[in-house]
Amino acid sequence: MGPDGRMNVAVGQPATRGGHAGRRRRAMPDGRASRCYHSAMADPAALDHWLRSFVGANGAVAGTAHQLTGDALELKAHVNIPPKVVEITRSIPRGKGMAGLAWDRDQPVSTCNLKEDKTGDVRPGARAVDASAAVALPIHGADGGLRGVIGIAFAGERTMAEDELSRLSAEAERAPL
């Protein structure tokens, strides 16, 4: 139970006031669902569903959704990411790894092969993902500021053309993050 007597139904944690960036569906003490949402955090179930759909619709094998929270990107959803990589990527500082670089550069960061990348953009932990080509896509809020980074990885090695990066970026902007 949170300080206001409500339980956070979406993630099963006490609801709190302020400080949390989060859209949270809460239950009243009698168990009825309320319509209280804290607008800055994605509904975990909706985000998970969206990410799975995004990965599947694009023929990818893995994906991540990170939300900008203060001075770090926080992992909010993932698909087919090994537990070791989930731990490593739970919080990403600006400029570190593909997601951190996409944030820093405010543009997609891609590789044709995660396991053999020599650019320095791919961190060693990312090589544990069972994929080859990958891209980290920055997404933006209504004010134009960065709100997160969506990652998507593909089974085969390939270089992504500008039109594909543009299409993926446009789709990623619709993430409920």
Side-chain angles (χ1 to χ4, degrees):
M1 290 291 185
D4 59 359
R6 298 177 186 177
M7 176 59 80
N8 181 332
V9 176
V11 294
Q13 297 174 349
T16 60
R17 293 183 188 173
H20 273 277
R23 184 180 312 156
R24 296 173 179 229
R25 185 166 181 95
R26 299 179 184 171
M28 301 301 287
D30 64 359
R32 291 179 299 126
S34 79
R35 299 206 188 281
C36 289
Y37 288 88
H38 195 271
S39 63
M41 183 171 122
D43 171 25
L47 181 57
D48 184 66
H49 175 75
W50 179 89
L51 184 60
R52 289 182 184 286
S53 296
F54 180 66
V55 167
N58 287 292
V61 296
T64 58
H66 284 84
Q67 182 177 33
L68 181 60
T69 306
D71 61 352
L73 291 168
E74 302 296 330
L75 184 64
K76 297 297 180 185
H78 56 89
V79 175
N80 294 331
I81 302 296
K84 171 185 162 189
V85 179
V86 169
E87 264 319 297
I88 293 168
T89 62
R90 199 164 299 283
S91 181
I92 298 176
R94 187 175 193 145
K96 182 177 178 185
M98 291 177 67
L101 289 169
W103 169 18
D104 191 51
R105 298 172 184 169
D106 198 21
Q107 64 184 26
V109 173
S110 64
T111 181
C112 62
N113 190 323
L114 282 170
K115 296 181 183 352
E116 297 177 15
D117 184 86
K118 304 270 191 271
T119 65
D121 290 354
V122 178
R123 303 292 297 171
R127 290 179 174 87
V129 176
D130 192 20
S132 290
V135 61
L137 305 156
I139 59 173
H140 305 86
D143 65 355
L146 189 113
R147 64 186 168 105
V149 175
I150 302 298
I152 188 167
F154 302 88
E157 185 175 322
R158 69 182 202 215
T159 301
M160 286 180 240
E162 282 301 316
D163 62 329
E164 182 177 19
L165 288 174
S166 293
R167 183 185 56 77
L168 289 171
S169 291
E171 288 180 39
E173 290 288 354
R174 294 193 290 270
L177 186 65

